[in-house]
Amino acid sequence: MNLKSNFALILIAAATLMSACSKSKKEVGSGPEEPVVVVDSTPLISLSSSWKKAVHLMADFPNGIQVYMNTTPFNGKALVAYCVVFDPKSGLELKPVTATANKKVSAFYTEETGFRYACINGGFFGTNTSYSLAMYKGAINAINIKSLTRTLNGANATYYPTRAAFGISEEGVPDVSWIYHVGTGNGTIYSYPAPAANLINTAPKPVPTATLPAGGAIWNVKAAIGGSPMLIKDDKINITDKEELIDIDNTSSRARSAIGYTKNNMIVLLAVEGNITNGGAGLNLAELAQLMKEMGCVGAVNLDGGGSTSMTVRAKPTVKPSDGAERPVMTALIIKRK
């Protein structure tokens, strides 16, 4: 056998050995190798050790968006909470959406076009009617309720609440404020440094205008969602449920949804499970504000809660619905690629 033949035999033997080694490695274990999950390792916000990164929901997430889960009891209550944190300047956008008829959050997510990451329920509503602001790219698709009826001295009285809302400017800067749609129809949205001082069993304050309450100014946002009440304003817990005339089992433990932002303008969407056997007990409004403050929020607004609380992340559910099944709602918030 010549040198050329010997060299050929050596190559064949080496190839056979490499193939056998490769096959042996693949066959280790009971199934195919799991894909390596690569996620952004740099936290977008500073959270306590109770919050764990929900890596199982982040397989295809880019830098600039993260999901966390917390199952550590809060104020002695069983807690199951998820939060989605994202940078509005990282090529992602927050899109408020409105339905023509009540729709589940998972349906909002599924029916949205483009590449989306997460969806949470929005503000308050009735049958096929939204009571809270939904604004996208400057277009107002639903307004914060402009008037409501309460009993005063045994008779009906009309009140004009300035309720809370969360908005983002064209430059991607978040804000929370008490707002009112001044004028007819959708009007012009004005924000105020403090809510109109309405209270149950007191005479209604006048219809808000450009100058009343004091310090009003046109709200310079391009996307916004309404809720109620304000939870945190100017880095201080400031729950204005009485002034906003909103009674949503404020002192009861129930499922809660909220939106806020941190000092470095990271946006936080929070869903808290409530009234679930062997699951989350829920929080009251004061505890919700406390939790958001501990997460670093300098501004935060309560969204509709209870059976309405629902969050979908990459088509997967997170908190269990307190009604036993998803409740159809009228507005939602979607985080998606621009």
Side-chain angles (χ1 to χ4, degrees), residues 208-271:
T209 67
T211 58
L212 185 73
I218 293 177
W219 201 29
N220 183 28
V221 297
K222 293 299 180 182
I225 191 74
S228 189
M230 186 75 73
L231 298 173
I232 302 171
K233 175 70 173 174
D234 298 328
D235 201 18
K236 296 179 180 178
I237 292 178
N238 187 6
I239 304 173
T240 53
D241 53 329
K242 298 185 185 305
E243 295 88 339
E244 296 183 47
L245 303 173
I246 185 80
D247 186 355
I248 43 176
D249 296 326
N250 301 351
T251 60
S252 300
S253 297
R254 65 200 300 258
R256 302 285 178 182
S257 304
I259 182 170
Y261 68 97
T262 65
K263 187 175 182 179
N264 63 340
N265 290 334
M266 298 296 108
I267 295 176
V268 179
L269 304 181
L270 174 68

Side-chain angles (χ1 to χ4, degrees), residues 282-300:
L283 301 175
N284 60 40
L285 278 186
E287 291 168 333
L288 180 65
Q290 179 189 351
L291 181 60
M292 294 290 277
K293 188 74 169 64
E294 290 181 7
M295 294 170 69
C297 289
V298 298

Side-chain angles (χ1 to χ4, degrees), residues 51 57 68-71 79-83 105 119-121 255-257 270-274 276 279-280 306-313 316-326:
W51 289 97
L57 296 173
Y68 292 85
M69 180 181 181
N70 190 339
T71 56
L79 180 72
V80 175
Y82 286 82
C83 75
V105 167
C119 184
I120 191 173
N121 65 286
R256 302 285 178 182
S257 304
L270 174 68
V272 178
E273 192 174 276
I276 301 297
S308 298
T309 291
S310 181
M311 177 186 281
T312 294
V313 178
K316 297 178 181 178
T318 55
V319 294
K320 295 178 181 177
S322 59
D323 284 353
E326 273 190 281

Side-chain angles (χ1 to χ4, degrees), residues 44-75:
L44 294 173
I45 60 175
S46 179
L47 295 171
S48 72
S49 59
S50 297
W51 289 97
K52 309 298 182 184
K53 191 172 287 186
V55 175
H56 64 288
L57 296 173
M58 297 175 55
D60 55 1
F61 274 33
N63 290 347
I65 180 169
Q66 297 168 348
V67 186
Y68 292 85
M69 180 181 181
N70 190 339
T71 56
T72 300
F74 189 79
N75 287 353

Side-chain angles (χ1 to χ4, degrees), residues 105 120-124 132 225-227 257 302-305 308 329 331-333:
V105 167
I120 191 173
N121 65 286
F124 298 92
S132 297
I225 191 74
S257 304
N302 180 65
L303 300 174
D304 195 7
S308 298
V329 298
T331 59
L333 292 165

